[in-house]
Amino acid sequence: MLLGDRAAKEMIIHDIVPAHAYHYILETFTETRRITWAFQPYYGQHIDHPQEGVLPPLPWDIKVPPPTTFKESMQNVEVPQTASIKNCHNCQGKRKEVCYTCGGNAKVTCKGCNGDGMEPTFEEGFSKHMLCTVCTGTGRKQCTKCVGEGLVTCATCTGKGALKCYINLSIIWRNHVEERFIERQHMLPKEVSILAATPQTVYHEKDSRVSSITVPTEPDITYATEEAVNKSHTPSNVYELILCQRHQLRCAPAHLIQYHYKDVRGIFYVAGFNKSVHCPDYPKSWACANYCTIL
């Protein structure tokens, strides 16, 4: 060990105080299903009509696996045996609707004269008014959107006149993340906190439902994980189903150690998984530096 051999071997350790920092992460992967009426233009596609005497499946009876667990996504599915063909409710099957630019009038106000039919001009220093060259004095011109027809292709059915109506199942997968931090870094100087700042995973689990992590020597971990797990098992949305959970506990270890060597009392710190030592009270006559690594 690189600590000044004699002092390191002969010092008396009075107390070892743990000052670990923990980071707990709980992920709850859920699924929500809702049904709504939906429609789309009818192009001649297949229609899954209701069957006499056969009820459509219930929302949760339709098997749709999530694309990827613990990753948020959304998918729409047509509920079987709910489709039918109906006339477009917007154009009543006429395939056209009133032009929204001209309001069905086929003409719009001329921008050249702002509807006056006359436009100002100057000739030999005098102001005169002449017929508008854009609208020839009418104050209005043909609507370019409907080409003077007053009607445009129906946007709802895209000019097909008919709609496919069905019940749509909307599925939303969400990943809820709960985090808890359990730390006693106030016991450590800044230099040691930096050494212990890179945690490693010391526990991980995946299941349909996870339980809190019980650590008899660390009641703060038990309390924090129990609180997070209990909260996750009660979704705020009653239509939300928990599919699976996973959690992990990450640790950045650190210890405060009180020692006695000859007539000197002091403290030093061991931090991180590489067991770096910080000994601010270590006399320079004992070793060449205040930092070393326990091998």
Side-chain angles (χ1 to χ4, degrees), residues 228-267:
V229 169
N230 289 341
K231 180 180 177 181
S232 72
H233 287 175
T234 310
S236 57
N237 187 346
V238 295
Y239 299 103
E240 196 169 25
L241 177 68
I242 298 176
L243 299 182
C244 56
Q245 291 184 303
R246 67 182 180 186
H247 61 171
Q248 62 173 309
L249 183 66
R250 309 179 72 210
C251 175
H255 292 85
L256 181 153
I257 300 171
Q258 299 177 357
Y259 70 90
H260 177 207
Y261 177 64
K262 294 184 177 179
D263 58 345
V264 177
R265 289 182 176 271
I267 59 174

Side-chain angles (χ1 to χ4, degrees), residues 36-41 88-89 155-157 163-168:
T36 55
W37 277 104
F39 59 84
Q40 58 183 243
C88 176
H89 57 269
T156 302
C157 65
L163 298 173
K164 172 187 175 181
C165 301
Y166 59 95
I167 295 179
N168 179 71

Side-chain angles (χ1 to χ4, degrees), residues 28 34 65 68 106 117 129 148 161 214 227 245 257 264 276-277:
T28 305
R34 289 187 175 90
T68 308
H129 285 80
T214 301
E227 180 191 38
Q245 291 184 303
I257 300 171
V264 177
S276 296
V277 175

Side-chain angles (χ1 to χ4, degrees), residues 114-129:
N114 292 323
D116 292 335
M118 306 292 288
E119 57 182 354
T121 185
F122 291 91
E123 186 176 334
E124 297 179 357
F126 296 96
S127 176
K128 295 182 179 182
H129 285 80

Side-chain angles (χ1 to χ4, degrees), residues 8-27:
K9 292 177 180 178
E10 297 179 2
M11 68 169 55
I12 300 173
I13 303 298
H14 290 285
D15 197 8
I16 300 177
V17 182
H20 311 318
Y22 295 95
H23 181 200
Y24 176 69
I25 306 171
L26 169 64
E27 295 177 83

Side-chain angles (χ1 to χ4, degrees), residues 13-234:
I13 303 298
H14 290 285
D15 197 8
I16 300 177
V17 182
H20 311 318
Y22 295 95
H23 181 200
Y24 176 69
I25 306 171
L26 169 64
E27 295 177 83
T28 305
F29 188 59
T30 65
E31 181 176 317
T32 303
R33 296 192 174 196
R34 289 187 175 90
I35 55 172
T36 55
W37 277 104
F39 59 84
Q40 58 183 243
Y42 177 60
Y43 298 100
Q45 62 267 46
H46 171 71
I47 300 297
D48 189 3
H49 293 283
Q51 298 179 19
E52 185 176 353
V54 180
L55 294 175
L58 296 174
W60 288 102
D61 291 338
I62 302 173
K63 294 184 179 181
V64 183
T68 308
T69 55
F70 300 104
K71 185 176 181 181
E72 298 194 353
S73 58
M74 179 179 179
Q75 187 172 339
N76 289 307
V77 178
E78 178 183 331
V79 177
Q81 303 170 21
T82 62
S84 61
I85 304 172
K86 296 183 179 181
N87 279 343
C88 176
H89 57 269
N90 186 47
C91 66
Q92 288 74 49
K94 297 177 181 179
R95 303 188 178 190
K96 289 185 178 294
E97 62 179 319
V98 174
C99 177
Y100 56 83
T101 301
C102 65
N105 296 316
K107 292 183 179 294
V108 294
T109 301
C110 176
K111 294 183 179 179
C113 62
N114 292 323
D116 292 335
M118 306 292 288
E119 57 182 354
T121 185
F122 291 91
E123 186 176 334
E124 297 179 357
F126 296 96
S127 176
K128 295 182 179 182
H129 285 80
M130 300 179 62
L131 288 177
C132 176
T133 57
V134 178
C135 64
T136 64
T138 62
R140 299 174 68 77
K141 66 174 187 174
Q142 179 178 286
C143 175
T144 57
K145 183 67 178 178
C146 63
V147 198
E149 187 181 351
L151 299 171
V152 293
T153 301
C154 177
T156 302
C157 65
T158 63
K160 302 301 178 183
L163 298 173
K164 172 187 175 181
C165 301
Y166 59 95
I167 295 179
N168 179 71
L169 173 62
S170 178
I171 307 173
I172 301 175
W173 292 282
R174 291 189 175 92
N175 190 40
H176 303 278
V177 180
E178 285 283 336
E179 294 184 274
R180 297 292 187 273
F181 294 91
I182 308 102
E183 55 185 3
R184 305 178 186 86
Q185 297 292 348
H186 62 279
M187 301 172 59
L188 306 176
K190 181 179 179 181
E191 297 84 352
V192 179
S193 297
I194 292 174
L195 292 173
T198 305
Q200 292 185 17
T201 300
V202 293
Y203 180 85
H204 65 88
E205 179 189 18
K206 177 183 175 182
D207 206 341
S208 57
R209 297 286 192 282
V210 297
S211 302
S212 59
I213 302 172
T214 301
V215 183
T217 58
E218 295 282 2
D220 290 343
I221 294 177
T222 304
Y223 173 79
T225 60
E226 189 175 70
E227 180 191 38
V229 169
N230 289 341
K231 180 180 177 181
S232 72
H233 287 175
T234 310

